[in-house]
Amino acid sequence: IRVPAIVVPHPSNIEFTPSAPPAGDPKLLFLGYLREYKGADIGVEALALVRSQGLPATLTIAGSPWGDTDWPALCRSLGVAEHVTLELEYISDARMADLLASHHMLIAPYRSATQSGVISLAFEAARPVVVTDVGGLAEFVQDGVNGVVCEPGSASEFASAVARAWRMYPVLQRNARDAAASWDDVAREYLA
């Protein structure tokens, strides 16, 4: 038996008031638990590459660590310690709102995934995302429209995606808020 299916993005569980992006050079945000599959280390490597190519980006890594990665040592070894802010702790909803407002875009350099709740948070805050094409991440990010999608597992690929996102940032940022799903969208599709 064939049953039609409708895919509706999961809305953010937190309401944000979208704000204008910050002024200045690109500010990247990795948000969430620091598990190996989420690739925050790839984000740090990509930051080192984009900076070596002349893009003066900075990165904030915000979330509770899982595992034994020495994040300060990793940043020092890649020569970007002064360009990475580490908030290695639980991030409250209020702090998430502040972090999203003070950064240009969210990065999700995942090695593997099923889905990610941070994408809906970014769109709710009118911030584009740079993601890898794993799990269902690319189902919610339209490459070149509200974010950039790249192949997983490569810091150089991810660095290129970040640079591309920055070149087209005004368009991505404008479209990011339109990508935010609402609970009304879910109800409308469910009740249709």
Short mmCIF file of all heavy atoms in Angstrom, two decimals, residues 103-169:
data_model
loop_
_atom_site.label_atom_id
_atom_site.label_comp_id
_atom_site.label_asym_id
_atom_site.label_seq_id
_atom_site.Cartn_x
_atom_site.Cartn_y
_atom_site.Cartn_z
N HIS A 103 26.36 36.57 15.90
CA HIS A 103 27.14 35.87 14.87
C HIS A 103 26.45 35.99 13.51
O HIS A 103 25.24 36.21 13.45
CB HIS A 103 27.32 34.40 15.25
CG HIS A 103 28.26 34.22 16.40
ND1 HIS A 103 27.88 34.43 17.71
CD2 HIS A 103 29.57 33.90 16.43
CE1 HIS A 103 28.92 34.24 18.49
NE2 HIS A 103 29.97 33.91 17.74
N HIS A 104 27.22 35.84 12.47
CA HIS A 104 26.66 35.93 11.11
C HIS A 104 25.99 34.64 10.65
O HIS A 104 24.97 34.68 9.98
CB HIS A 104 27.75 36.29 10.10
CG HIS A 104 28.24 37.69 10.26
ND1 HIS A 104 29.39 37.99 10.95
CD2 HIS A 104 27.73 38.85 9.82
CE1 HIS A 104 29.57 39.30 10.93
NE2 HIS A 104 28.58 39.85 10.26
N MET A 105 26.63 33.51 10.96
CA MET A 105 26.08 32.25 10.48
C MET A 105 26.45 31.10 11.39
O MET A 105 27.44 31.16 12.12
CB MET A 105 26.49 31.98 9.05
CG MET A 105 27.97 31.74 8.83
SD MET A 105 28.39 31.57 7.07
CE MET A 105 28.91 33.23 6.69
N LEU A 106 25.64 30.08 11.31
CA LEU A 106 25.85 28.85 12.06
C LEU A 106 26.58 27.86 11.16
O LEU A 106 26.29 27.79 9.96
CB LEU A 106 24.50 28.27 12.47
CG LEU A 106 24.56 27.01 13.31
CD1 LEU A 106 24.65 27.39 14.79
CD2 LEU A 106 23.33 26.16 13.07
N ILE A 107 27.50 27.10 11.74
CA ILE A 107 28.16 26.05 10.97
C ILE A 107 27.82 24.69 11.58
O ILE A 107 27.73 24.55 12.79
CB ILE A 107 29.69 26.24 10.87
CG1 ILE A 107 30.37 26.16 12.24
CG2 ILE A 107 30.02 27.57 10.18
CD1 ILE A 107 31.88 26.01 12.18
N ALA A 108 27.62 23.71 10.71
CA ALA A 108 27.33 22.33 11.14
C ALA A 108 28.15 21.39 10.27
O ALA A 108 27.64 20.81 9.31
CB ALA A 108 25.84 22.04 11.03
N PRO A 109 29.45 21.24 10.58
CA PRO A 109 30.35 20.41 9.76
C PRO A 109 30.27 18.92 10.12
O PRO A 109 31.28 18.24 10.25
CB PRO A 109 31.72 21.00 10.07
CG PRO A 109 31.61 21.53 11.46
CD PRO A 109 30.16 21.96 11.62
N TYR A 110 29.06 18.41 10.27
CA TYR A 110 28.83 17.05 10.76
C TYR A 110 29.49 15.99 9.88
O TYR A 110 29.47 16.08 8.66
CB TYR A 110 27.34 16.77 10.84
CG TYR A 110 26.58 17.48 11.94
CD1 TYR A 110 27.05 18.65 12.52
CD2 TYR A 110 25.37 16.99 12.38
CE1 TYR A 110 26.34 19.30 13.51
CE2 TYR A 110 24.65 17.63 13.37
CZ TYR A 110 25.14 18.78 13.93
OH TYR A 110 24.43 19.41 14.92
N ARG A 111 30.01 14.97 10.54
CA ARG A 111 30.52 13.79 9.84
C ARG A 111 29.37 12.84 9.50
O ARG A 111 29.39 12.16 8.49
CB ARG A 111 31.52 13.04 10.73
CG ARG A 111 32.83 13.76 10.93
CD ARG A 111 33.74 12.94 11.86
NE ARG A 111 35.07 13.51 11.85
CZ ARG A 111 35.48 14.46 12.67
NH1 ARG A 111 34.65 14.95 13.59
NH2 ARG A 111 36.71 14.93 12.60
N SER A 112 28.39 12.79 10.39
CA SER A 112 27.19 11.98 10.19
C SER A 112 26.07 12.65 10.99
O SER A 112 26.33 13.45 11.88
CB SER A 112 27.41 10.54 10.66
OG SER A 112 27.63 10.52 12.06
N ALA A 113 24.84 12.31 10.63
CA ALA A 113 23.70 12.89 11.34
C ALA A 113 22.43 12.20 10.89
O ALA A 113 22.40 11.56 9.84
CB ALA A 113 23.59 14.39 11.06
N THR A 114 21.40 12.36 11.67
CA THR A 114 20.06 12.06 11.19
C THR A 114 19.42 13.40 10.86
O THR A 114 18.98 13.63 9.75
CB THR A 114 19.24 11.29 12.25
OG1 THR A 114 19.31 12.00 13.48
CG2 THR A 114 19.78 9.88 12.41
N GLN A 115 19.45 14.31 11.82
CA GLN A 115 18.91 15.65 11.66
C GLN A 115 19.57 16.52 12.72
O GLN A 115 20.33 16.03 13.55
CB GLN A 115 17.39 15.63 11.82
CG GLN A 115 16.68 16.88 11.36
CD GLN A 115 17.15 17.42 10.04
OE1 GLN A 115 17.94 18.35 10.00
NE2 GLN A 115 16.68 16.86 8.94
N SER A 116 19.28 17.80 12.72
CA SER A 116 19.86 18.69 13.72
C SER A 116 18.88 19.80 14.07
O SER A 116 18.37 20.47 13.18
CB SER A 116 21.16 19.30 13.19
OG SER A 116 21.65 20.25 14.12
N GLY A 117 18.65 19.98 15.34
CA GLY A 117 17.76 21.03 15.80
C GLY A 117 18.34 22.43 15.68
O GLY A 117 17.61 23.41 15.68
N VAL A 118 19.67 22.54 15.55
CA VAL A 118 20.26 23.88 15.49
C VAL A 118 19.94 24.60 14.19
O VAL A 118 19.95 25.82 14.14
CB VAL A 118 21.78 23.86 15.75
CG1 VAL A 118 22.10 23.38 17.15
CG2 VAL A 118 22.53 23.08 14.72
N ILE A 119 19.63 23.86 13.14
CA ILE A 119 19.29 24.52 11.87
C ILE A 119 18.00 25.32 12.03
O ILE A 119 17.93 26.48 11.61
CB ILE A 119 19.18 23.50 10.72
CG1 ILE A 119 20.55 22.89 10.45
CG2 ILE A 119 18.61 24.14 9.47
CD1 ILE A 119 20.54 21.74 9.47
N SER A 120 16.99 24.74 12.66
CA SER A 120 15.74 25.49 12.86
C SER A 120 15.96 26.69 13.77
O SER A 120 15.34 27.74 13.58
CB SER A 120 14.64 24.58 13.39
OG SER A 120 14.96 24.06 14.65
N LEU A 121 16.87 26.56 14.75
CA LEU A 121 17.19 27.70 15.61
C LEU A 121 17.82 28.83 14.80
O LEU A 121 17.47 30.00 14.96
CB LEU A 121 18.15 27.28 16.73
CG LEU A 121 17.65 26.29 17.76
CD1 LEU A 121 18.78 25.91 18.71
CD2 LEU A 121 16.47 26.84 18.53
N ALA A 122 18.75 28.47 13.92
CA ALA A 122 19.42 29.48 13.10
C ALA A 122 18.42 30.20 12.21
O ALA A 122 18.42 31.43 12.11
CB ALA A 122 20.52 28.84 12.27
N PHE A 123 17.55 29.45 11.55
CA PHE A 123 16.57 30.08 10.67
C PHE A 123 15.60 30.96 11.46
O PHE A 123 15.23 32.03 11.00
CB PHE A 123 15.81 29.02 9.87
CG PHE A 123 16.63 28.36 8.78
CD1 PHE A 123 16.25 27.14 8.28
CD2 PHE A 123 17.78 28.96 8.27
CE1 PHE A 123 16.98 26.52 7.27
CE2 PHE A 123 18.53 28.35 7.27
CZ PHE A 123 18.12 27.12 6.77
N GLU A 124 15.20 30.51 12.63
CA GLU A 124 14.32 31.31 13.48
C GLU A 124 14.97 32.65 13.82
O GLU A 124 14.31 33.67 13.92
CB GLU A 124 13.98 30.54 14.76
CG GLU A 124 13.07 31.26 15.72
CD GLU A 124 11.61 31.33 15.29
OE1 GLU A 124 11.20 30.58 14.38
OE2 GLU A 124 10.88 32.15 15.88
N ALA A 125 16.30 32.63 13.98
CA ALA A 125 17.06 33.85 14.31
C ALA A 125 17.51 34.60 13.05
O ALA A 125 18.28 35.55 13.15
CB ALA A 125 18.26 33.49 15.16
N ALA A 126 17.07 34.14 11.88
CA ALA A 126 17.43 34.78 10.59
C ALA A 126 18.93 34.69 10.31
O ALA A 126 19.53 35.64 9.83
CB ALA A 126 16.94 36.22 10.52
N ARG A 127 19.49 33.53 10.60
CA ARG A 127 20.90 33.30 10.31
C ARG A 127 21.04 32.12 9.35
O ARG A 127 20.47 31.05 9.59
CB ARG A 127 21.68 32.99 11.59
CG ARG A 127 21.75 34.14 12.57
CD ARG A 127 22.42 35.38 11.97
NE ARG A 127 22.55 36.46 12.91
CZ ARG A 127 21.73 37.51 12.98
NH1 ARG A 127 20.70 37.60 12.15
NH2 ARG A 127 21.94 38.47 13.85
N PRO A 128 21.79 32.30 8.28
CA PRO A 128 22.04 31.19 7.35
C PRO A 128 22.97 30.17 7.98
O PRO A 128 23.61 30.43 9.01
CB PRO A 128 22.69 31.86 6.14
CG PRO A 128 23.29 33.11 6.67
CD PRO A 128 22.45 33.53 7.84
N VAL A 129 23.03 28.99 7.36
CA VAL A 129 23.86 27.91 7.88
C VAL A 129 24.74 27.33 6.79
O VAL A 129 24.41 27.36 5.61
CB VAL A 129 23.00 26.79 8.51
CG1 VAL A 129 22.24 27.29 9.71
CG2 VAL A 129 22.04 26.21 7.50
N VAL A 130 25.88 26.82 7.22
CA VAL A 130 26.77 26.05 6.34
C VAL A 130 26.76 24.64 6.92
O VAL A 130 27.10 24.45 8.09
CB VAL A 130 28.20 26.62 6.31
CG1 VAL A 130 29.09 25.77 5.41
CG2 VAL A 130 28.18 28.07 5.83
N VAL A 131 26.32 23.67 6.11
CA VAL A 131 26.17 22.30 6.58
C VAL A 131 26.83 21.32 5.62
O VAL A 131 27.08 21.64 4.46
CB VAL A 131 24.68 21.90 6.74
CG1 VAL A 131 23.96 22.79 7.72
CG2 VAL A 131 23.96 21.87 5.40
N THR A 132 27.06 20.13 6.14
CA THR A 132 27.52 19.04 5.28
C THR A 132 26.30 18.23 4.84
O THR A 132 25.26 18.23 5.51
CB THR A 132 28.51 18.14 6.03
OG1 THR A 132 27.95 17.78 7.29
CG2 THR A 132 29.84 18.85 6.24
N ASP A 133 26.45 17.55 3.73
CA ASP A 133 25.36 16.77 3.15
C ASP A 133 25.31 15.39 3.79
O ASP A 133 25.69 14.39 3.18
CB ASP A 133 25.55 16.67 1.63
CG ASP A 133 24.34 16.08 0.94
OD1 ASP A 133 23.33 15.84 1.61
OD2 ASP A 133 24.42 15.87 -0.29
N VAL A 134 24.87 15.35 5.05
CA VAL A 134 24.72 14.09 5.77
C VAL A 134 23.32 14.05 6.38
O VAL A 134 22.73 15.09 6.68
CB VAL A 134 25.79 13.90 6.88
CG1 VAL A 134 27.18 13.80 6.29
CG2 VAL A 134 25.73 15.02 7.90
N GLY A 135 22.81 12.83 6.56
CA GLY A 135 21.48 12.69 7.16
C GLY A 135 20.48 13.55 6.42
O GLY A 135 20.48 13.62 5.19
N GLY A 136 19.65 14.23 7.16
CA GLY A 136 18.63 15.08 6.56
C GLY A 136 18.98 16.56 6.56
O GLY A 136 18.12 17.39 6.29
N LEU A 137 20.25 16.91 6.83
CA LEU A 137 20.60 18.33 6.93
C LEU A 137 20.30 19.09 5.64
O LEU A 137 19.74 20.17 5.66
CB LEU A 137 22.08 18.49 7.30
CG LEU A 137 22.53 17.89 8.63
CD1 LEU A 137 23.98 18.24 8.91
CD2 LEU A 137 21.64 18.30 9.77
N ALA A 138 20.68 18.50 4.51
CA ALA A 138 20.49 19.20 3.22
C ALA A 138 19.03 19.28 2.82
O ALA A 138 18.70 20.03 1.89
CB ALA A 138 21.31 18.52 2.14
N GLU A 139 18.14 18.55 3.48
CA GLU A 139 16.71 18.66 3.17
C GLU A 139 16.16 20.01 3.59
O GLU A 139 15.16 20.47 3.06
CB GLU A 139 15.92 17.56 3.89
CG GLU A 139 16.20 16.17 3.36
CD GLU A 139 15.45 15.11 4.15
OE1 GLU A 139 14.51 15.46 4.92
OE2 GLU A 139 15.80 13.94 4.01
N PHE A 140 16.79 20.65 4.56
CA PHE A 140 16.29 21.91 5.09
C PHE A 140 17.09 23.12 4.64
O PHE A 140 16.65 24.25 4.78
CB PHE A 140 16.25 21.86 6.62
CG PHE A 140 15.32 20.80 7.11
CD1 PHE A 140 15.78 19.61 7.60
CD2 PHE A 140 13.94 20.98 7.02
CE1 PHE A 140 14.92 18.61 8.02
CE2 PHE A 140 13.06 19.99 7.43
CZ PHE A 140 13.55 18.81 7.94
N VAL A 141 18.27 22.88 4.11
CA VAL A 141 19.12 23.98 3.66
C VAL A 141 19.14 23.97 2.14
O VAL A 141 19.56 22.99 1.53
CB VAL A 141 20.55 23.84 4.22
CG1 VAL A 141 21.43 24.97 3.71
CG2 VAL A 141 20.54 23.82 5.73
N GLN A 142 18.68 25.05 1.55
CA GLN A 142 18.73 25.17 0.10
C GLN A 142 20.06 25.82 -0.26
O GLN A 142 20.28 27.00 0.05
CB GLN A 142 17.56 26.01 -0.41
CG GLN A 142 16.22 25.35 -0.24
CD GLN A 142 15.14 26.27 -0.72
OE1 GLN A 142 14.77 27.22 -0.03
NE2 GLN A 142 14.64 26.01 -1.91
N ASP A 143 20.91 25.05 -0.91
CA ASP A 143 22.24 25.53 -1.24
C ASP A 143 22.16 26.79 -2.08
O ASP A 143 21.49 26.83 -3.11
CB ASP A 143 23.00 24.44 -2.01
CG ASP A 143 24.45 24.81 -2.24
OD1 ASP A 143 25.16 25.04 -1.26
OD2 ASP A 143 24.84 24.90 -3.42
N GLY A 144 22.82 27.84 -1.61
CA GLY A 144 22.83 29.11 -2.32
C GLY A 144 21.61 29.96 -2.10
O GLY A 144 21.50 31.06 -2.65
N VAL A 145 20.66 29.49 -1.29
CA VAL A 145 19.45 30.25 -1.01
C VAL A 145 19.42 30.72 0.45
O VAL A 145 19.36 31.90 0.72
CB VAL A 145 18.18 29.43 -1.34
CG1 VAL A 145 16.91 30.19 -0.97
CG2 VAL A 145 18.16 29.04 -2.82
N ASN A 146 19.45 29.76 1.39
CA ASN A 146 19.44 30.12 2.81
C ASN A 146 20.65 29.54 3.56
O ASN A 146 20.71 29.56 4.77
CB ASN A 146 18.15 29.67 3.48
CG ASN A 146 17.86 28.20 3.27
OD1 ASN A 146 18.76 27.39 3.07
ND2 ASN A 146 16.58 27.85 3.30
N GLY A 147 21.58 29.01 2.79
CA GLY A 147 22.79 28.44 3.36
C GLY A 147 23.63 27.81 2.27
O GLY A 147 23.35 27.97 1.08
N VAL A 148 24.64 27.08 2.68
CA VAL A 148 25.53 26.39 1.75
C VAL A 148 25.69 24.95 2.24
O VAL A 148 25.85 24.71 3.44
CB VAL A 148 26.90 27.10 1.64
CG1 VAL A 148 27.89 26.28 0.83
CG2 VAL A 148 26.73 28.48 1.02
N VAL A 149 25.64 24.02 1.29
CA VAL A 149 25.79 22.60 1.58
C VAL A 149 27.06 22.11 0.91
O VAL A 149 27.33 22.45 -0.25
CB VAL A 149 24.58 21.80 1.04
CG1 VAL A 149 24.74 20.31 1.35
CG2 VAL A 149 23.27 22.33 1.61
N CYS A 150 27.85 21.31 1.64
CA CYS A 150 29.07 20.75 1.05
C CYS A 150 29.23 19.29 1.45
O CYS A 150 28.50 18.80 2.32
CB CYS A 150 30.30 21.56 1.44
SG CYS A 150 30.78 21.42 3.17
N GLU A 151 30.17 18.63 0.84
CA GLU A 151 30.45 17.23 1.16
C GLU A 151 31.05 17.13 2.57
O GLU A 151 31.78 18.01 2.99
CB GLU A 151 31.41 16.63 0.13
CG GLU A 151 30.77 16.46 -1.24
CD GLU A 151 29.53 15.60 -1.21
OE1 GLU A 151 29.57 14.50 -0.63
OE2 GLU A 151 28.50 16.03 -1.76
N PRO A 152 30.78 16.04 3.27
CA PRO A 152 31.28 15.89 4.65
C PRO A 152 32.73 15.42 4.72
O PRO A 152 33.27 14.90 3.75
CB PRO A 152 30.35 14.82 5.23
CG PRO A 152 29.96 13.99 4.04
CD PRO A 152 29.88 14.96 2.88
N GLY A 153 33.31 15.62 5.90
CA GLY A 153 34.59 15.00 6.22
C GLY A 153 35.83 15.72 5.76
O GLY A 153 36.93 15.24 5.98
N SER A 154 35.70 16.88 5.14
CA SER A 154 36.86 17.58 4.61
C SER A 154 36.88 19.03 5.09
O SER A 154 35.96 19.80 4.79
CB SER A 154 36.83 17.55 3.08
OG SER A 154 37.75 18.48 2.54
N ALA A 155 37.93 19.37 5.82
CA ALA A 155 38.06 20.76 6.28
C ALA A 155 38.21 21.71 5.11
O ALA A 155 37.69 22.83 5.14
CB ALA A 155 39.24 20.88 7.23
N SER A 156 38.90 21.30 4.05
CA SER A 156 39.08 22.20 2.90
C SER A 156 37.75 22.43 2.18
O SER A 156 37.46 23.55 1.76
CB SER A 156 40.15 21.67 1.95
OG SER A 156 39.78 20.44 1.41
N GLU A 157 36.94 21.37 2.04
CA GLU A 157 35.60 21.54 1.44
C GLU A 157 34.75 22.48 2.30
O GLU A 157 34.04 23.33 1.78
CB GLU A 157 34.89 20.20 1.30
CG GLU A 157 35.45 19.30 0.22
CD GLU A 157 35.00 19.70 -1.17
OE1 GLU A 157 33.87 20.22 -1.32
OE2 GLU A 157 35.79 19.50 -2.09
N PHE A 158 34.84 22.28 3.60
CA PHE A 158 34.03 23.11 4.49
C PHE A 158 34.52 24.56 4.46
O PHE A 158 33.71 25.48 4.46
CB PHE A 158 34.02 22.55 5.91
CG PHE A 158 32.82 23.00 6.68
CD1 PHE A 158 31.61 22.36 6.52
CD2 PHE A 158 32.89 24.07 7.54
CE1 PHE A 158 30.48 22.79 7.20
CE2 PHE A 158 31.78 24.52 8.23
CZ PHE A 158 30.56 23.87 8.07
N ALA A 159 35.83 24.75 4.41
CA ALA A 159 36.38 26.11 4.31
C ALA A 159 35.89 26.79 3.04
O ALA A 159 35.51 27.98 3.07
CB ALA A 159 37.90 26.07 4.35
N SER A 160 35.88 26.08 1.94
CA SER A 160 35.37 26.64 0.68
C SER A 160 33.90 27.01 0.81
O SER A 160 33.46 28.03 0.28
CB SER A 160 35.56 25.65 -0.47
OG SER A 160 36.92 25.45 -0.72
N ALA A 161 33.13 26.17 1.51
CA ALA A 161 31.71 26.46 1.70
C ALA A 161 31.51 27.71 2.55
O ALA A 161 30.63 28.53 2.27
CB ALA A 161 31.02 25.25 2.34
N VAL A 162 32.32 27.87 3.59
CA VAL A 162 32.23 29.06 4.43
C VAL A 162 32.56 30.31 3.61
O VAL A 162 31.85 31.32 3.67
CB VAL A 162 33.16 28.95 5.65
CG1 VAL A 162 33.34 30.30 6.36
CG2 VAL A 162 32.64 27.89 6.62
N ALA A 163 33.62 30.25 2.82
CA ALA A 163 34.00 31.40 1.99
C ALA A 163 32.89 31.72 0.98
O ALA A 163 32.57 32.89 0.76
CB ALA A 163 35.32 31.11 1.26
N ARG A 164 32.31 30.70 0.40
CA ARG A 164 31.21 30.91 -0.56
C ARG A 164 30.01 31.56 0.14
O ARG A 164 29.39 32.48 -0.38
CB ARG A 164 30.81 29.58 -1.17
CG ARG A 164 29.69 29.69 -2.18
CD ARG A 164 29.46 28.35 -2.90
NE ARG A 164 28.19 28.39 -3.56
CZ ARG A 164 27.19 27.54 -3.35
NH1 ARG A 164 27.34 26.52 -2.52
NH2 ARG A 164 26.05 27.67 -3.99
N ALA A 165 29.69 31.07 1.34
CA ALA A 165 28.57 31.63 2.10
C ALA A 165 28.82 33.10 2.41
O ALA A 165 27.90 33.93 2.33
CB ALA A 165 28.34 30.84 3.39
N TRP A 166 30.05 33.45 2.74
CA TRP A 166 30.35 34.84 3.06
C TRP A 166 30.22 35.73 1.83
O TRP A 166 29.72 36.85 1.92
CB TRP A 166 31.72 34.96 3.71
CG TRP A 166 31.98 36.36 4.19
CD1 TRP A 166 32.91 37.23 3.73
CD2 TRP A 166 31.27 37.05 5.23
NE1 TRP A 166 32.84 38.43 4.42
CE2 TRP A 166 31.83 38.34 5.34
CE3 TRP A 166 30.21 36.71 6.08
CZ2 TRP A 166 31.38 39.28 6.26
CZ3 TRP A 166 29.75 37.65 7.00
CH2 TRP A 166 30.33 38.91 7.08
N ARG A 167 30.64 35.24 0.68
CA ARG A 167 30.54 36.03 -0.56
C ARG A 167 29.08 36.35 -0.90
O ARG A 167 28.79 37.39 -1.47
CB ARG A 167 31.19 35.30 -1.74
CG ARG A 167 32.70 35.30 -1.72
CD ARG A 167 33.29 34.82 -3.03
NE ARG A 167 32.87 33.48 -3.41
CZ ARG A 167 33.47 32.35 -3.03
NH1 ARG A 167 34.53 32.40 -2.25
NH2 ARG A 167 33.02 31.18 -3.44
N MET A 168 28.18 35.45 -0.56
CA MET A 168 26.77 35.67 -0.89
C MET A 168 25.93 35.92 0.36
O MET A 168 24.71 35.75 0.35
CB MET A 168 26.24 34.49 -1.72
CG MET A 168 26.39 33.15 -1.06
SD MET A 168 26.05 31.73 -2.15
CE MET A 168 24.63 32.22 -3.03
N TYR A 169 26.57 36.37 1.41
CA TYR A 169 25.91 36.49 2.71
C TYR A 169 24.61 37.31 2.68
O TYR A 169 23.61 36.86 3.26
CB TYR A 169 26.86 37.06 3.77
CG TYR A 169 26.22 37.08 5.13
CD1 TYR A 169 26.08 35.90 5.85
CD2 TYR A 169 25.69 38.25 5.65
CE1 TYR A 169 25.44 35.89 7.08
CE2 TYR A 169 25.04 38.24 6.87
CZ TYR A 169 24.92 37.07 7.58
OH TYR A 169 24.27 37.06 8.78
#
